[in-house]
Amino acid sequence: NMSFVRFLEWVFFLYFASHIPITLFIDLQALLPGELYPQSLKDVLRWYAAQFKDPMMLDPPAWFKSFIFCEALLQTPFFPIAAYAFYKGGCRWIRTPAIVYATHVATTLIPILAHILFYRFPEAPHPGPQSPQERLALTAIYAPYLLIPIILLLTMLLSSAYGAAAAPAREGRAASKKKR
């Protein structure tokens, strides 16, 4: 159904467009020197980390920093391109980059969510989630960054609007031309 695909494109547009300021102003604070950020943005990060008990953003382990590095280097340049493609709608050229992006991000979210759910976080200097409710609250913050990429991946793989049904037809035409 094309109206459902268009609805998903708007969801993807909002996801990628909102990801730009979140990455630049919040996420990259875990990687870049603090002097680059005004106190107001540092305060937002500290409020978030305290409110949702996310010590990974204030004192990131090396493995988490590697994911932020990938976000900075590989994902951030893709965000405005993807936002444009999904805002415009029907841009089949976004299919392959969106598949790569969605697969990469979904893969990084699995260890992050496992860490949140199962790691025994210290209570100091930056308290992590201790109770099941605190773990679920933090999981809920990260979950959209797994769920939307999975929906994006399935849309790119299965929707005829993005060429999923057209690919076998192209192969069939190429094969029939070779036989001639």
Side-chain angles (χ1 to χ4, degrees), residues 38-89:
Q39 189 60 46
S40 58
L41 288 177
K42 292 182 204 177
D43 292 344
V44 168
L45 178 61
R46 290 202 179 284
W47 170 85
Y48 158 78
Q51 184 73 28
F52 294 98
K53 299 210 173 176
D54 188 352
M56 296 180 294
M57 290 301 296
L58 295 178
D59 188 17
W63 64 267
F64 190 79
K65 275 187 178 180
S66 73
F67 291 164
I68 301 291
F69 182 78
C70 288
E71 184 177 357
L73 193 67
L74 304 173
Q75 297 173 32
T76 303
F78 179 64
F79 295 154
I81 295 166
Y84 167 79
F86 292 116
Y87 176 80
K88 188 173 176 190

Side-chain angles (χ1 to χ4, degrees), residues 158-176:
L158 303 175
S159 172
S160 60
Y162 281 91
R170 280 193 298 263
E171 291 169 10
R173 282 194 303 271
S176 68

Side-chain angles (χ1 to χ4, degrees), residues 7-38:
F7 169 77
L8 288 177
E9 288 173 333
W10 280 107
V11 170
F12 301 149
F13 163 71
L14 292 171
Y15 170 84
F16 285 111
S18 70
H19 219 314
I20 297 167
I22 291 168
T23 297
L24 295 176
F25 300 133
I26 303 299
D27 293 359
L28 291 184
Q29 286 188 57
L31 191 64
L32 299 174
E35 302 80 51
L36 294 176
Y37 289 93

Side-chain angles (χ1 to χ4, degrees), residues 87-167:
Y87 176 80
K88 188 173 176 190
C91 296
R92 290 178 181 234
W93 53 264
I94 199 68
R95 183 175 191 258
T96 299
I99 290 169
V100 171
Y101 167 83
T103 304
H104 166 71
V105 171
T107 302
T108 65
L109 261 292
I110 300 299
I112 291 171
L113 293 174
H115 187 71
I116 291 168
L117 292 171
F118 305 115
Y119 180 70
R120 187 176 174 153
F121 287 94
E123 294 188 31
H126 308 292
Q130 304 296 320
S131 71
Q133 294 83 5
E134 290 171 346
R135 290 177 188 278
L136 288 176
L138 187 55
T139 297
I141 297 293
Y142 282 88
Y145 300 99
L146 173 63
L147 296 176
I148 293 176
I150 288 173
I151 294 167
L152 175 64
L153 178 63
L154 292 173
T155 302
M156 295 299 112
L157 291 175
L158 303 175
S159 172
S160 60
Y162 281 91

